[in-house]
Amino acid sequence: MPRPSATKKSTSRTSKKKSVRKSAKSGVTSRVSKKATTRKTTRKVNPNKLTYSFGATRTDGDTSMRDLLGGKGANLAEMTSIGLPVPPGFTITTATCKRFYDEGKKLPKVLLDEVTKSIARIEKETGKKFGDISDPLLVSVRSGSKVSMPGMMDTVLNLGLNDKSVKGLAKLTGAERFAWDAYRRLINMYGDVVMGVDHHHFEHAFDLIKARYKVKLDNDVPVEGMRELCEDYKAVYRKHVGKPFPQDPYRQLKLAIEAVFMSWNSPKAISYRRINKIHGLPGTAVNVQSMVFGNMGEDSGTGVAFTRNPSTGENKFYGEFLINAQGEDVVAGIRTPKPIAELPKWNKQINKQLMDVRKTLEKHYRDVQDIEFTIERGTLYMLQTRNGKRTGPAAVKIACDMVKEKLITRDEALLRIPADDLTQLLLPSFDPKSKAKANVLTKGLPASPGVAVGKPAFTADEAVARAEAGESVLLVRKETSPEDIEGMNSAQGILTSTGGMTSHAAVVARGWGKCCVAGAGEIEIDADHGEFTIKGQHYTRESLLSIDGATGEVIEGKVQTMPPTLSNDYKTLMRWADSKRTLKVRTNADTPDDAKRAREFGAQGIGLCRTEHMFFEGKRIVAMREMILADTMKDREKALVKLLPFQRKDFEGIFTAMDTLPVTIRLLDPPLHEFLPHGEAAKVELAEVLGVPTSQVHRRVSMLHESNPMLGHRGCRLAVTYPSILRMQVRAIVEATINCLNKGVKAKPEIMVPLVGIDNEIEMLRAQILETINDVRKDKGYKGRLNIPVGTMIEIPRAALTAGDVAQHADFFSFGTNDLTQLTYGYSRDDINSFLPEYLKQGILHNDPFQTLDTSGVGQLVEMACTKGRETFPKLKIGICGEHGGDPASVGFCHRVGMEYVSCSPFRVPIARLAAAQATIQQS
Amino acid sequence: MPRPSATKKSTSRTSKKKSVRKSAKSGVTSRVSKKATTRKTTRKVNPNKLTYSFGATRTDGDTSMRDLLGGKGANLAEMTSIGLPVPPGFTITTATCKRFYDEGKKLPKVLLDEVTKSIARIEKETGKKFGDISDPLLVSVRSGSKVSMPGMMDTVLNLGLNDKSVKGLAKLTGAERFAWDAYRRLINMYGDVVMGVDHHHFEHAFDLIKARYKVKLDNDVPVEGMRELCEDYKAVYRKHVGKPFPQDPYRQLKLAIEAVFMSWNSPKAISYRRINKIHGLPGTAVNVQSMVFGNMGEDSGTGVAFTRNPSTGENKFYGEFLINAQGEDVVAGIRTPKPIAELPKWNKQINKQLMDVRKTLEKHYRDVQDIEFTIERGTLYMLQTRNGKRTGPAAVKIACDMVKEKLITRDEALLRIPADDLTQLLLPSFDPKSKAKANVLTKGLPASPGVAVGKPAFTADEAVARAEAGESVLLVRKETSPEDIEGMNSAQGILTSTGGMTSHAAVVARGWGKCCVAGAGEIEIDADHGEFTIKGQHYTRESLLSIDGATGEVIEGKVQTMPPTLSNDYKTLMRWADSKRTLKVRTNADTPDDAKRAREFGAQGIGLCRTEHMFFEGKRIVAMREMILADTMKDREKALVKLLPFQRKDFEGIFTAMDTLPVTIRLLDPPLHEFLPHGEAAKVELAEVLGVPTSQVHRRVSMLHESNPMLGHRGCRLAVTYPSILRMQVRAIVEATINCLNKGVKAKPEIMVPLVGIDNEIEMLRAQILETINDVRKDKGYKGRLNIPVGTMIEIPRAALTAGDVAQHADFFSFGTNDLTQLTYGYSRDDINSFLPEYLKQGILHNDPFQTLDTSGVGQLVEMACTKGRETFPKLKIGICGEHGGDPASVGFCHRVGMEYVSCSPFRVPIARLAAAQATIQQS
C-alpha cells in the first residue's frame, strides 16, 4: 500500500471525490489520496520527454536535472557538455519510473520508440550497431536515483551480445576469451537481475567448468572453457526461466530497463531508503551507455579517485587504479589496486589527461569530485563524477582552500560544511583505523559525545580511589545518582545499563562534556562481585574497555584516540559564520567551568543555567534534603537559609565567567523526590544525619512518589506551592548580581520560570520575583540600576496555545523543546526506547523527534507561540534552550521563525554558529 | 496586585504603550494591562450615571441590569416598577465601585451630589428628613453584587440617627426603647463595619450594662439601660477611632458607602469568590434604602419565603416569619420562627397581600422567587426577591409545572435545570437531614458517585465471603488491582487510600455505577490486623461507615439514604430535551450490563468500549500474562489464540445489548506492565501457573517498567510493535459481528485506534485492520455487507495539530480529552493532587481541567482538529469520549464546535442529553 511521504501537505480529501472510500462500506480497501511530487529544476522540463541523450552530437541534460535524471545521469550529461570523454548514452527519467509504477508496472509504449531513436544516435556516434554480428554495440544498463544508493539497485553490463555477435566481438577485438567472458557475464547478470534466476545456479555451473579444467581461479579458465561456460549458462537460464536466453538485443534492453525500475522497490532498496532517511523520490532513472572495457589488455585499466584528499582535505589527487580490469574487479577486492600516484609510471599520457580532467571538474563543479574512469586500449573514458564525501576536518580545509583559490565564495564555503561534522573537530575521537579492527560488545544510547578508555569501576568511591591511584577508569553503574558525582568526575567516562538520554548520568556528563553511554541494556551488572556480563561473557575490574559517546558503542580493549586540534581554517570559517549569522548562540551551562568552556567555543551568553545540579554536591544535598523533609514552614526556611550562600556563590562564579554576557537562570525544575535517596541504607543514613526518625524519611519519600514524575509536581508548580524556595533562589541571584556589580563584574542575570502552562502562573510568580528583587535591593542598600528580565519557558503545549496571554507577564520566551516534544507527542524520553527503534525501522518516524525538531507538529506550536507572543508584546525576546538548539536543521527552523537566539551544550556551540550562518544564507 | 480575570482575552500589550514596563529596567514594578469589562444590558447605560433610584416617583433600573445594579438593586427596582410595596431608595452602581478602586479608593466627587439628590427624592416620598430632629429619615446601606455573596460584605442599618434625632424617633414612634436600640445598633455596626472597631469592645460594654441591670438577655435591658448603652458605645467608638461618633448623617452615609466598597476586597470576600468560582465582576453595588422596622411591636414582623417548595418543587408557599422582629433576628436564630402557613392566624390581611405578591412575582419573573419581607405596624414591605435555589428533583418538577401553567416555554424549562443536578435524581443519595448530623472522618477523591454504607473488608476474599453471608461491606484497600474484581463487585462501595480519579478502583467503579472514594490519604491501612487508622483513631471490621462518592466524604456510622425515583416530570423533560438536541449522546461501556444500563438511560450507542478490562477476569488474565511474558512470536500467538474466544464472546454480548446502535471499540490501550503482578508472591505464583522460571517473570516485569507510563509504550504504539495483538482483537470484533449478523442482531462495530500522534501510525494500522477484516470475512465465508468504520482517538496534541493528515486515514475522530488535557497541561491525573488544590485555592486555575474542558487551551486543539479534519474529509464523524463528555459546560463546547456526539459514563447520559438540548437552545 503506497504511503504519502513525510513531506506531504495534507492533500485535501475534499478535492478527491473519486478517492476510494470503499473501506467504510465494505471494510476492505484503504483510501490514500495520492500526492503530487513537486520538483525544482533550472530549465523547463518537457513532461512528455522520457529519455535524455548525452554524446558528441547531442546532450539534453545537465547537472541541475538530478531530480529527473538521477545523480549519475545528470553528471554524465554535464561531463559530456564540458567536453570530457564520456561514452555516449542516454538516461531514462525518474518520472518514467514513476509512470511505470502508476501504469501497473508497464513501460510506456512511447518509451520504446524513444529508446530506439536514442540507440540509433549511439550507433551513429560509435560506428557500432546494436546486435550487429561483426561490430556489435554493447551497452550497460544502470540505475541512478537522485540520491546515491550504492549496490541497492540493479545493473546489467555487456547488453547487446548474443550467440552471433559474441563471435564478431571476439574477432573484432582479437580477444576471444574477453568476448566469451563478456557474454557469460551478460547471461549471468541478465538471468539474475532481469529474470530472478538465483545466482548460485550460475556459480555451480562455473564450479563444474573449473573442475573440468582443473583450475581454481576464474581467470585460469581457458578460452574453450569460457565458451563452454556460456553454453552451460544458457542451459541454466533456460532451465530456470523456461525460455532460451533472448537473442534480440532490443528485447534484452526492454526487459533490463523494466528490471532496473523493479529494483527501485525491491525490499533491500526500500530498507536502504528507510535506514538512510531518503524520502519523497519518484523513482530511479536508467542510464543506458555504450560499454567501454578496462579489461582489454595491459593498455587498459580502471580507477576511482577524489580530486582532493577526502580525509584531510589536502589539495592532492587521491585514488587508486587497476590495470587490465573492470570497475567491478576493484569493488570485488580480489586484486590490490595501485595508488593513483603511480599512474604516470604506467601511462604518462593518461595521467596528464586525468590531471586535466581533475582540474576541469573542480573548476566546473567548484567542489571536490569523486570520479570513476576506465581506459580502454589507451583511451580514457569518464564513467562517473559526483561531489566527494569528506570528513569534518577535510570539509573545513577544502572550503577554506577553495575560497582562497577563488573557486567559491565565503557563503558557499559556509554552506559546504554539514554543521554536525564540526563535532569531529572538537572532541577527541577514536582513530578510525584502530576502531575498524575493534570488537563492539554492545551498544547503548549516545548520551554524551566524546570517547573514553578505561577499566570498570563499580562504585563512585572505587572510581575515585582508583583514579587517584593513577588508573583510567570507567564508572559502570545501573544508573547514577547525586551520590555518584565524585566518582563520575574522576572517571574517564560513564557507562550505565539503564536510564535514557535525560538520565542523571547523561545530563551531568553532557554538562561536563564527558563521554557517556547510557542505557546499555545488554549489560548485567553484578557490583557485589565486581563484574558485569554482556551476552553471557564476563567482564571484571581488569577488563579494558573503550566507549564512544557519539555512537553508544562499548568496545573491547583499547581503541586509539585522536585529540582535536582547531585549525586556522576552522577559525577562519567560524569568523565568516559569525559575520553572517543574525541568530545569537548561547549555551546551556550550570557551572563556571562550563561557562568558561562555552565562552571559548563562542557562546554569547547562557541560555539555560539549571539550578538543580547545584544542590547535589557535598553539604548542599544534605541541606536540600532537610528542606524537602521539613514538616513546617519554619523548618523549611531554616534549611533554605543554609542553601542560600551556596547558590549565591555559584551564581557569582557564573556571572564572573560570563562577565558582560547574559545568563538565563532557570528556577528549580525537577520534582523534589529526585533529591531524596532511594536505597534503604541511604534513607537510614539520611535520617541519622538529619536527626529525624527513619519513618519520617520513608513517609516523605513515599508521599512524594509520583506515577508520572514528568507530568507531576515540578517546575513552577514547586514555586507556587513552596514560594520560599523561589524567594531563596531569587535572593541568591540578586545578591550575587549586586556583589558582582560592586566588584565591577557586569552581571546580567535573567530569571526564567519553568513549566508555565497558565498565564496566571507566570503573572503571580513574576510579581513575587519582582517583589523579592526589590526586597534584596533594599536589604543590600543598592542604589544602582538593576536590570533583571523575568521570562518563561515555553515547554507545555498550553503555554504555546495561550502565548498571547502568557506574554503579558514575560520579558522573554525560551522554548524548552525537550519537554514540548515529550508532551506534543506524548513520549517519555526515558521510556521511548521500547518503541522508537521500531518506529524508525518501519518509517513511521523519519527522525528521533528529540534530536531534530518536528516542524510539522511541535514546530506549529513554536511558531504559534512566537506569533501570539509578539502580537501581545512586540519586543518579546525569544530563544530556545532545548537540545534542539544544537541541531543544525532545528537551528535553521529557529532562524526562520525569527528567534533571537539558540542555546545548546558547550560543545555544540560552534555547530550552532555555523548552522545559524547557513540558515541566514539560505534564507537570503 | 490586580490580576486580569479568567475571562479576559489577551489584551494586546502593543496597544498599551503606557503600560508600566519599569520591571525590565529596575526589576521592581509589574505591568498588567487592564482589562475592559464588557457587559450585556438590555438598555443603553449612561456611564456617567452613578446612582439609580427606585420609588413611587421614579425608578431608573430593572431586573435586566444585574451587572450594573447587582442582584438586589436590580430586583428592588423591578419590584418597585411592578407596583410592589418597596421602601424607596437608590442603588450606587457596580461601575462606581470599580471607579472607586481605579481612583485610589476614593469616591468620585460627582457621586456625592447624586447621592444628595437621591436622598432628597426619598425624603420627598417618605415625608421624613435625613438628620431631622423630629422625624428623621433612616436608611440602610447594603452591598449587593451581581452574584449573591451572603454575609461576605458589609451592611449598616439605621443610618441617619444621631444624639438628637434618636429622641425625635422615640417621640414620633412612641417606642423609646426601640429608638435607643436602633441607635446603639447603628453605633455598633458603624464602628465595626466602617471604622474597624473590633466588635468585642461593644459586646463588652453591653455585658457591663447587663451586669449593672442584673439581666441576662439583651431584650431585658430597660430603656434607661439602652440610653446608657448608647453613651457607652459612643465612648468605645471615640476611644478606638480617636474621634467622636459622627453626628452629620451625610458624613455617616459617605463613610458607610466607602466601607461597603472596601468590603468587596476584604480577604473573606476574596476567598468566598475564589471558592465559589465567581470571576470577572467589577465590584459591588450599594443599596441605600429607607428603613422599615419589623420590631415596632406586635403588629410588626419579618419573614422569608419561597414561592414554591425548593426541596420538592411542590407548588405551595414555603417559608417562615417572626412577629416583632428584624430580619437580623431570623438569621441570628435566637427565636424560632413560625411556618408561613400560620400567617393568616396572625394577620389575614397581610397574608392575602403576601399571597398576591407571590402570584405577581411568579408571573412576573416566571420562576420561583426567594423573598424577604417586613411588616411595619401593619404595612407590608418587600425587601428582596431573587430566583430561588432548589434541589434537582424540585427543579425538574417546577420546570414541568410552569410549562403546564404556561408560565414558561419548554425551551425555558430545559434551560432552568442545571444539568448536573440530574445526578440527584439518578443515584441514591444520603438524606441531607441525616448527613447534617454526621461526623465526617476524612475526605478522599469523589471517584465514582453514589453512596454506600457498610463495614470494612480488607481483602477481596473477605469482602466476597462476608457479602455472601449477608453483610454490607466496604472494600477498603490501599489500591485495588485486577485480582480484587470479585471483592469490588461484592462490596457496597470501595474506599482506597492511594490512587487517583483514574486508578483501577475509580475506573472500574464508575463503569459499574458503584460508589467509590479513592485516594483518601489520611487512612493508614493495616490489613494484617484488620484495621485502619484516621488521625490516630482506629477502625476495625466492626466499624460502620458511610461513604459518599460524589463528595469523597468518609463518615462515621450509618447515614440514611434516599433511593432515586424517576418521576414522570423527569421523563417528560428528557423527551423535550431529546426532541431539541442535535448532539447525539453515547456511553462509555465495557460490558453488556453497562451497555444495557446506559441504553436505559437513553444512550444512542457506545462511544468508548475499552477492551483492556476484558482481560482482567479469571483465566483471561493468565492468558494475557502468558502473552506478555512470551519471548517468541510463536508463544505470543499461542497465548493470543486463547484470548480470542473471550474477546469474541464479550463483543457478541455488547453488540447484542446495543442491537442496531453503534459500538466504538478501542483497541488495547494501557501499557502491558499494567497486566502483570507486582507483589513478589504473585510473581512466584504466576511463574508456577505458566511453568516458567520466576526469573523470567522478574526480568519481564523489570524490562517493562517505565518511568512515565502515561507517556510510554501504550496505545497504538503497542499495535505497531505487537501487530499480532491488533490482529487478534480485530479478528474477535469481526467474528463477533458476523456471528451476530447471522443471528439477526444488527451489530454495528466501529474500530478505534488509540493514542495516534502521527498520520503514518493510523495509515499503517488502518491498512492492517482492513486486511484482517478481509481475512476474517473470507475465513468465515461471509457474503453480506460489512460496514466497519475505522477511526482514531485524538488525544495526543500532535494528532490535533496534524489532524488534516490524520483525517486522510480515519473515518472518525473521537477526542480523548482526558489524555489530551494531561498532555496539553503536562499534568498527570494520578499525581495532580500534590498541587491542584493549591492552584484552585490561589485562583491560578478556576476549575479542575479534568472535570471541565479547558476551552482556551485544550479547546483550541479540539477546534483545530475539527476544522482541519473536516477540511480534509468533510464527512468525518467527530465525537468525544473523555470524561468531559458528561460535563454540561463541556457538552456545550462540543455542540458549538460541531461534534456529532458526546460519550460519557452511563449515569451521566441523562445529564449529557439535557446539556446537549440546552446547548442547542442557547445557540439558536
Side-chain angles (χ1 to χ4, degrees), chain B residues 234-243:
Chain B
K234 282 193 284 179
V236 167
Y237 182 97
R238 173 173 229 144
K239 180 174 169 202
H240 292 279
V241 176
K243 288 180 191 169

Side-chain angles (χ1 to χ4, degrees), chain B residues 303-358:
Chain B
V304 294
F306 285 81
T307 55
R308 303 188 186 207
N309 186 318
S311 185
T312 63
E314 199 186 2
N315 188 356
K316 219 168 157 184
F317 203 39
Y318 179 97
E320 43 198 23
F321 71 104
L322 266 175
I323 299 168
N324 194 12
Q326 279 204 304
E328 282 66 21
D329 301 332
V330 181
V331 179
I334 301 167
R335 290 162 56 191
T336 308
K338 296 180 182 181
I340 204 89
E342 292 181 20
L343 194 58
K345 277 197 238 163
W346 175 62
N347 189 329
K348 265 196 189 150
Q349 174 64 20
I350 289 293
N351 182 60
K352 192 188 164 302
Q353 248 183 299
L354 204 54
M355 293 308 279
D356 287 346
V357 166
R358 176 194 170 209

Side-chain angles (χ1 to χ4, degrees), chain A residues 177-192:
Chain A
R177 190 185 181 286
F178 155 75
W180 289 108
D181 187 37
Y183 193 31
R184 71 97 189 166
R185 283 181 197 249
L186 170 62
I187 301 164
N188 184 340
M189 279 194 192
Y190 192 90
D192 176 0

Side-chain angles (χ1 to χ4, degrees), chain B residues 154-220:
Chain B
D154 289 337
T155 295
V156 183
L157 300 180
N158 307 339
L159 199 136
L161 279 180
N162 57 21
D163 292 353
K164 289 177 183 158
S165 61
V166 66
K167 291 174 191 155
L169 181 66
K171 209 167 173 184
L172 186 79
T173 60
E176 197 180 354
R177 191 185 180 285
F178 155 76
W180 289 109
D181 187 39
Y183 193 30
R184 71 97 189 168
R185 282 179 198 249
L186 170 62
I187 302 164
N188 183 342
M189 280 194 195
Y190 192 90
D192 176 359
V193 166
V194 181
M195 291 301 166
V197 180
D198 201 302
H199 181 62
H200 86 262
H201 298 303
F202 294 108
E203 288 275 0
H204 181 63
F206 208 166
D207 289 344
L208 291 178
I209 286 285
K210 281 189 278 188
R212 202 179 308 158
Y213 284 89
K214 294 177 179 132
V215 299
K216 282 201 170 157
L217 296 175
D218 296 4
N219 276 351
D220 297 338

Side-chain angles (χ1 to χ4, degrees), chain B residues 704-749:
Chain B
L704 287 174
H705 171 79
E706 294 184 309
S707 309
N708 295 284
M710 198 61 75
L711 306 175
H713 195 172
R714 53 178 281 242
C716 72
R717 298 162 200 172
L718 289 172
V720 169
T721 49
Y722 301 106
S724 47
I725 302 180
L726 172 135
R727 287 184 193 271
M728 182 280 282
Q729 289 204 294
V730 174
R731 178 166 284 274
I733 293 166
V734 183
E735 288 183 358
T737 305
I738 293 174
N739 291 351
C740 282
L741 291 174
N742 286 339
K743 274 189 280 182
V745 171
K746 291 220 175 79
K748 288 196 170 176

